[in-house]
Amino acid sequence: MSCQLIATEVSFAYERDKCVLNGVEATIQDGSVTGIVGPNGSGKSTFLRILAGLLHPDAGSVHLNDRALRSYSGRERARSIAFLPQSISPAFSLSVFEVVCLGRYPHSSAWGSLSAQDVAVASRALVQTQTDALRHRDFGSLSGGERQRVLLASILAQEPRLLLLDEPTSALDIHHQVEVMALLRHLCRDGYGIALVTHDLNLAARFCDRVVLLGATHCIVADGRPEDVLTGPLLSEAYGSTIRVGQHPFAPAPFVMATLPEGDGS
Ligand SMILES: Nc1ncnc2c1ncn2[C@@H]1O[C@H](COP(=O)(O)OP(=O)(O)O)[C@@H](O)[C@H]1O
Ligand SMILES: [Mg+2]
């Protein structure tokens, strides 16, 4: 059965009269990768939290399949949707393997007892994210990039249908960025639906099927295929500065560069 998350005309404000999302829409569909991009403070993380059901829109709606997202219990929701926050600081001392096993909570019958299947799923997630060698390490002792991959393993262990990832590659080196994006594409072929917030427009251009571009006015500037959304005029409008787009040197994708102010040599 297919799985989709549909946000319609979503508006949201943390404080009265300070709108951070204004009529924003998106469909997150299994079998596709959607990139959510836009300038700092445009509302990307807020939108992802609304899609995850962690915040509720002031206006508009979010539906998971044919039901309002709000009508699902937390546990039910977690079997369909996994959310990876932008940053996380561990409150307890846990090993990497224990962190990954936390992802199994929506499936476990009694808290604390892991089945053989739970252990097998968690072990597979460690291998998928190339973190198996870290399994006995204290999570708190890991580098930012290692943590990011372990947290990805934890939400894979959750075995959801949709992954909502807030800047999943921001702390990764160039090799691991591409490895994680290739893993996401692979998961997408296996039927996962993925939405990811990223500042890396070139990764979005290369690896996303769709891109939602938010502007500084907290509205959608464009939504569509990367080659239609990641254009000089649309990006310049969203970011409020001149952005140029050419052809990627070896991939069939746009290649995005910000220009320096006039006279600075670009
Ligand atoms: N918990 C909060 N309380 C009040 N304002 C917030 C909160 N979280 C985010 N904001 C504000 O909402 C706006 C959008 O934030 P965010 O969704 O994090 O943007 P982005 O992820 O695009 O950088 C920003 O102006 C931010 O300062
Ligand atoms: Mg953010």
Side-chain angles (χ1 to χ4, degrees), residues 132-187:
D132 197 32
L134 306 172
R135 71 159 58 206
H136 301 299
R137 289 270 303 275
D138 177 29
F139 180 77
S141 75
L142 301 182
S143 74
E146 289 167 338
R147 278 188 200 188
Q148 227 164 13
R149 284 183 293 132
V150 169
L151 292 171
L152 183 59
S154 176
I155 64 165
L156 290 179
Q158 198 177 318
E159 291 191 306
R161 301 291 308 277
L162 305 174
L163 305 176
L164 306 179
L165 313 172
D166 201 348
E167 301 196 28
T169 59
S170 61
L172 302 184
D173 63 50
I174 193 163
H175 162 72
H176 283 108
Q177 280 180 4
V178 172
E179 288 279 329
V180 163
M181 293 306 291
L183 169 63
L184 297 181
R185 283 248 53 106
H186 183 80
L187 293 168

Side-chain angles (χ1 to χ4, degrees), residues 49-69:
R49 283 198 288 263
I50 286 176
L51 288 171
L54 303 173
L55 292 173
H56 303 298
D58 298 329
S61 66
V62 183
H63 277 74
L64 175 61
N65 300 324
D66 48 3
R67 267 170 62 194
L69 186 59

Side-chain angles (χ1 to χ4, degrees), residues 10-15 17-22 24 41-44 46-47 50 55 58 214-219:
V10 164
S11 296
F12 182 83
Y14 290 101
E15 294 160 37
D17 303 328
K18 275 180 90 176
C19 185
V20 299
L21 291 171
N22 195 352
V24 173
S42 54
K44 304 178 298 297
T46 303
F47 187 43
I50 286 176
L55 292 173
D58 298 329
L214 285 173
T217 54
H218 313 292
C219 300

Side-chain angles (χ1 to χ4, degrees), residues 233-246:
L234 290 172
L235 290 170
S236 301
E237 179 188 337
Y239 287 85
S241 68
T242 307
I243 293 176
R244 287 165 69 177
V245 179

Side-chain angles (χ1 to χ4, degrees), residues 40 89 96 131 137 152 165 194 197 206 215:
N40 291 131
S89 321
V96 163
T131 51
R137 289 270 303 275
L152 183 59
L165 313 172
I194 296 164
V197 169
R206 238 179 113 188

